Amino acid sequence: MAYNAELYVHDLDRKAFAALNAFPKFVKLREAYITNFDEKAAKISFMSSAIRLSENQMPEIYNQLPPICEKLGIVVPELYYVKSKEINAATGGSSNPYIFVTSELVKKVPNELIPSVLAHECGHIACKHYLYHSMAMQLIEGIENSPLSSIPGIRRFLTPTLIKALLFWDRCSELSADRAAVLCDGKAENMVDALLKIHGYSNNINRDEFIKQALDLKAFVNDSKSNQLIEAMLTQGDTHPRLATRAYECYEFSKSDQYQGILDGSYTIDVKKEKEAEDIVEEEIVAADISLQASGDSDINIDAELERVNKELKRYTCEADKVDYAFAVFSGIMAGAIDAIFIGETKITGKDIGLSHQQVNNFIQEYAKSRGFDRARLKDSISDLEQAFKVAQDNLWKGAGIGVSAKNHHLADLAHHPTPVGLVSSIVVQFLRLGSFVNKDGEWHFIFVETTPSDIIQVLAPAVITGILNWLVAVAEKKYEEESGEEVPKALHRLSHLVASTPIIVEIAKCADNWFGHLVSDMGGSKNTAGGGMGIPGIFVSLLYEISALPILKDSGLPAFVDDLYENHKLDLRHEITMYKALGKQAIPVALNEIYVRLGFFVSHLCVEIADHKGLKGIDWSNVIPFRNRTVKRMITISSMTFTVADTADAAVHAALESGGNWVLFAGRFAARFNYVGAGRSAVAIVKEISNERKEAQLIHEKMILTEAKTIQVMQVLEEYKAKLTERVSDYLAQDIEAFIEGFDYMKEGLATGNSDLVIKGNVVIQRVLGREPQFTNQEEFDALMDSDIALQL
């Protein structure tokens, strides 16, 4: 029968382990690190430089391992023999544990004690210690020298308090592993002997005398609080308990009823009950309502901040279960089916492009009509708009030798882009008289516009008037503050300066209006090629060209590629509108998928809340409303990715069937059937998920810091209370002693002078100090008591 680790784990180990597990995000990060790096790195290292033991490789060592693993109920781990001058053995790994022993240990520790060493390491595996044990090992020399320092997700959690807690647990875990060895050996003596050998002591050490020394140490430490404090200070940086402490714990455990009960199978514990007890303690701690102010000059209320962080953390914590994930996958598959059946291939035909041209032409004519130009022909509408909304830089490129031609000047001139950059460029032309151009090689060119004195006056007048008005407002505000001694209200300050800036704001608005009007005039080509020439670039092409002109991309060939799309493939705004329509069609299954996920989440979680609360009363709507909720966002990420996978598979299958093995045709058919909106939604969801993960980690870190600060301040309050209590007790004792001395002085004086009243007075004082009501306060009352049947109480 294998020994259950829950039966022999040391109480200190159990409690410290539970405390560390209060940070689940931290555990997840560390487990991922172990699985993806530690175990693989260790295996590569040991396989390349150590000796793996087996029945055929040093069997005198290896054959002692399987019986131990059978007793402790674990899978036999890999065992390595490492060449080293240190007497050492250790375990590692989480999903695939391993043990190594050093050559010096095998040399110095007798073969009959090797099983105790192996059983100790197997005890670590049985108790699942490596998760934190490996961290403690790496933190011995400090976090800066630890591999953990390269992992921001773990490093941010390693506060000094957590590191101390980690090292404390590591010491406690050794006691549990020692107990596993004692159980496997059937006695404590072998483990004590092994510990003495590992610590370098020779055969002439009397083990029984050393155990007696360990018992004396324990008694001495427990003799006073100060001794316990000194021991704690001496060991707080250690990863292993002191030698005598381990010897004492092994000996005491071997003599306990718990040990005998484990051996004969009579000792059991209610793991569920212990877990519930831990939960109750945790709930009591969380529910404690202690309002403290942060130390120093800060007026931050820690409880208020903790409440805020907890609310935020709830919003950023994913609580999706298997049902939620299954529903998200099902929704993605259904949306993929809708896309495959009803949307299918997205084609842009000549008819679609022609319709887009007609719509743009109609828009130009309607816009011209709205601005007061009511001529029937498109050519006349464009001509009227060109005359009404002239721009200074329109023909600057001609003859400038900057690589801009009639075909691509709308793309090269940034002020002709229907983007924020285009508007800013237009404003720069208006106020600084400077045109901005980028040719297909990604080269920037700035050309000054020919400017007359009237142009300068027209530009400077609004700016000067705005400056004067703002100066007058500032003077008025200063005078008000001097006379009243109060600052001008911020709202009034902003409003007054906004009004004072009206001239320049009006001029910028006129510039923006002129910019937009000129773009409309160029949408359908010039008046000479109305409805057929090159229009302005669309939003997508404009943004792509602006990005390609950045210093890091301008030499990559991207500007020339975008120019080719616009100039030779005629991809102007009218063609882009056709693409937007196609993408709008693709957006239908994507939108249905998102609606279905949110609706499904709302219905399912509302049913859960109603069942939990037995009605609508008391429902936590933050768990039901399908917005601002991390669980919903995770479900949408899963469903979007599922949809994209399904859509990709559908596009690939259809392209393969229709292409007949022609890869060029396959690529074209695949591109036509692929849902780009769905892929974009998946990308956005993944980026959002990464952002949410980062935010959750940040909130957990804030919570740990606030909790640590609150704990420190609670301890400060308790220390202050303790000091005040000590002071009060000291005062009371001082008063009592003073009263005792006064009473004895009365009695002494009375006995010396023969005055019985003084003796009685001293007795009254002493009786009252003792908390009693005296039976008599003078000679007459004493005589009456003596004559009565009432017993005299001393």
Side-chain angles (χ1 to χ4, degrees), residues 280 376 385 438 544 665:
I280 291 171
L385 291 174
V438 177
L544 189 60
L665 184 58

Side-chain angles (χ1 to χ4, degrees), residues 614-627:
K614 296 181 174 57
L616 292 173
K617 189 176 181 180
I619 285 180
D620 185 355
W621 289 102
S622 64
N623 294 333
V624 177
I625 301 299
F627 299 97

Side-chain angles (χ1 to χ4, degrees), residues 247-373:
Y248 165 84
E249 290 287 344
C250 289
Y251 178 82
E252 284 294 296
F253 177 64
S254 69
K255 302 301 179 184
S256 66
D257 294 336
Q258 179 183 359
Y259 172 80
Q260 294 299 327
I262 295 173
L263 288 178
D264 61 30
S266 62
Y267 181 77
T268 59
I269 60 170
D270 189 345
V271 178
K272 184 177 180 182
K273 187 175 181 181
E274 289 209 353
K275 181 68 173 65
E276 290 174 353
E278 291 173 6
D279 291 344
I280 291 171
V281 172
E282 183 178 353
E283 288 173 5
E284 289 175 352
I285 293 172
V286 172
D289 185 18
I290 303 174
S291 181
L292 297 169
Q293 295 297 318
S295 59
D297 297 330
S298 175
D299 58 354
I300 297 174
N301 185 285
I302 293 180
D303 282 307
E305 282 297 296
L306 270 173
E307 183 179 359
R308 178 191 65 79
V309 169
N310 284 330
K311 286 182 179 178
E312 283 284 291
L313 193 56
K314 181 179 179 181
R315 186 160 71 87
Y316 281 95
T317 300
C318 177
E319 298 178 353
D321 55 21
K322 293 180 180 178
V323 176
D324 292 324
Y325 286 129
F327 183 83
V329 171
F330 175 74
S331 176
I333 293 173
M334 290 297 296
I338 292 172
D339 179 68
I341 297 170
F342 297 103
I343 306 301
E345 188 173 311
T346 303
K347 295 180 179 179
I348 299 177
T349 64
K351 183 178 179 181
D352 295 326
I353 296 173
L355 179 61
S356 175
H357 275 60
Q358 185 60 48
Q359 289 175 332
V360 169
N361 294 340
N362 291 340
F363 174 76
I364 293 171
Q365 289 182 287
E366 289 297 323
Y367 183 78
K369 186 182 295 184
S370 70
R371 301 307 294 262
F373 309 111

Side-chain angles (χ1 to χ4, degrees), residues 19-278:
L20 288 174
N21 274 333
F23 304 101
K25 191 71 178 178
F26 181 60
V27 177
K28 187 188 298 182
L29 285 168
R30 182 55 192 160
E31 284 177 337
Y33 178 72
I34 291 172
T35 302
N36 294 299
F37 181 80
D38 264 4
E39 289 184 357
K40 296 177 182 178
K43 190 173 184 69
I44 293 172
S45 177
F46 285 124
M47 291 286 284
S48 59
S49 59
I51 305 298
R52 184 174 62 187
L53 305 188
S54 65
E55 295 91 346
N56 301 318
Q57 186 72 269
M58 298 180 68
E60 69 278 9
I61 302 295
Y62 179 82
N63 289 338
Q64 300 182 71
L65 180 61
I68 294 170
C69 296
E70 184 177 358
K71 287 182 180 180
L72 297 180
I74 62 172
V75 176
V76 179
E78 290 187 336
L79 179 61
Y80 293 93
Y81 177 83
V82 178
K83 190 72 173 176
S84 173
K85 294 183 179 180
E86 293 183 358
I87 304 177
N88 193 18
T91 183
S94 180
S95 55
N96 297 293
Y98 58 87
I99 297 173
F100 73 85
V101 293
T102 63
S103 55
E104 193 69 6
L105 181 138
V106 174
K107 178 181 178 182
K108 294 294 179 64
V109 176
N111 193 54
E112 64 269 20
L113 297 181
I114 294 293
S116 298
V117 177
L118 295 177
H120 172 90
E121 300 305 329
C122 288
H124 282 307
I125 296 173
C127 295
K128 298 179 175 60
H129 283 156
Y130 183 69
L131 176 62
Y132 292 128
H133 183 65
S134 64
M135 295 184 64
M137 291 167 60
Q138 293 182 2
L139 291 170
I140 294 174
E141 296 180 1
I143 181 62
E144 295 300 331
N145 299 321
S146 166
L148 300 172
S149 63
S150 62
I151 311 173
I154 292 179
R155 182 186 174 92
R156 67 164 59 97
F157 293 102
L158 292 174
T159 61
T161 299
L162 184 58
I163 291 175
K164 288 180 181 177
L166 194 59
L167 294 175
F168 173 73
W169 168 81
D170 196 44
R171 295 194 295 275
C172 299
S173 70
E174 296 297 327
L175 303 179
S176 296
D178 286 347
R179 286 185 172 188
V182 173
L183 283 168
C184 290
D185 291 337
K187 56 184 178 180
E189 286 79 359
N190 284 3
M191 189 60 199
V192 175
D193 287 343
L195 288 170
L196 287 168
K197 291 294 182 184
I198 290 171
H199 281 77
Y201 292 104
S202 59
N203 295 329
N204 59 354
I205 300 298
N206 187 315
R207 178 221 307 136
D208 295 331
E209 280 299 308
F210 180 71
I211 292 176
K212 183 176 181 300
Q213 173 187 325
L215 294 172
D216 291 341
L217 170 65
K218 189 67 176 180
F220 177 75
V221 170
N222 289 339
D223 185 56
S224 69
K225 293 289 185 183
S226 61
N227 290 353
Q228 294 175 20
L229 178 61
I230 292 171
E231 185 197 45
M233 291 172 61
L234 291 173
T235 60
Q236 65 178 347
D238 296 346
T239 58
H240 286 62
R242 298 294 171 92
L243 173 60
T245 301
R246 295 178 69 177
Y248 165 84
E249 290 287 344
C250 289
Y251 178 82
E252 284 294 296
F253 177 64
S254 69
K255 302 301 179 184
S256 66
D257 294 336
Q258 179 183 359
Y259 172 80
Q260 294 299 327
I262 295 173
L263 288 178
D264 61 30
S266 62
Y267 181 77
T268 59
I269 60 170
D270 189 345
V271 178
K272 184 177 180 182
K273 187 175 181 181
E274 289 209 353
K275 181 68 173 65
E276 290 174 353
E278 291 173 6

Side-chain angles (χ1 to χ4, degrees), residues 526-754:
S526 68
K527 61 185 177 182
N528 297 322
T529 58
M534 285 299 298
I536 63 171
I539 297 174
F540 172 75
V541 169
S542 297
L543 289 173
L544 189 60
Y545 197 68
E546 291 161 10
I547 293 172
S548 71
L550 295 173
I552 58 174
L553 292 174
K554 77 179 191 70
D555 297 325
S556 65
L558 183 59
F561 174 78
V562 179
D563 182 84
D564 182 65
L565 287 178
Y566 175 76
E567 187 176 344
N568 297 321
H569 294 274
K570 311 298 183 183
L571 193 59
D572 62 3
L573 178 64
R574 292 166 293 189
H575 285 66
E576 270 197 29
I577 290 175
T578 309
M579 294 172 58
Y580 299 153
K581 291 177 181 177
L583 292 176
K585 185 180 176 184
Q586 288 191 342
I588 294 173
V590 178
L592 288 176
N593 179 41
E594 186 148 341
I595 292 170
Y596 188 52
V597 169
R598 293 185 188 275
L599 185 61
F601 172 87
F602 176 78
V603 173
S604 63
H605 284 254
L606 179 61
C607 292
V608 171
E609 286 286 323
I610 291 174
D612 290 345
H613 293 86
K614 296 181 174 57
L616 292 173
K617 189 176 181 180
I619 285 180
D620 185 355
W621 289 102
S622 64
N623 294 333
V624 177
I625 301 299
F627 299 97
R628 292 175 61 82
N629 186 305
R630 179 74 185 282
T631 303
V632 172
K633 292 176 181 177
R634 175 70 61 80
M635 290 174 66
I636 289 175
T637 301
I638 297 298
S639 65
S640 299
M641 293 173 65
T642 304
F643 170 78
T644 299
V645 170
D647 173 67
T648 303
D650 170 71
V653 169
H654 278 81
L657 293 175
E658 296 170 8
S659 64
N662 186 318
W663 282 103
V664 175
L665 184 58
F666 174 87
R669 307 302 289 176
F670 180 87
R673 198 171 181 88
F674 185 73
N675 192 307
Y676 297 95
V677 176
R681 183 66 184 94
S682 296
V684 170
I686 291 170
V687 171
K688 192 70 175 176
E689 181 66 22
I690 295 171
S691 174
N692 288 335
E693 194 77 13
R694 188 182 298 114
K695 180 67 175 178
E696 183 185 4
Q698 177 187 343
L699 288 169
I700 291 174
H701 181 50
E702 287 182 28
K703 182 175 181 178
M704 291 177 64
I705 292 174
L706 288 169
T707 303
E708 185 174 339
K710 181 173 179 177
T711 302
I712 292 171
Q713 293 195 4
V714 169
M715 293 304 297
Q716 289 175 347
V717 170
L718 291 176
E719 287 294 331
E720 291 173 5
Y721 174 74
K722 178 182 175 182
K724 291 179 180 178
L725 186 61
T726 302
E727 183 180 350
R728 294 285 296 276
V729 170
S730 299
D731 291 343
Y732 281 129
L733 288 175
Q735 293 173 10
D736 290 345
I737 292 171
E738 186 178 349
F740 270 114
I741 293 172
E742 182 184 11
F744 283 124
D745 285 343
Y746 283 136
M747 295 177 73
K748 182 178 179 182
E749 183 180 352
L751 292 172
T753 60

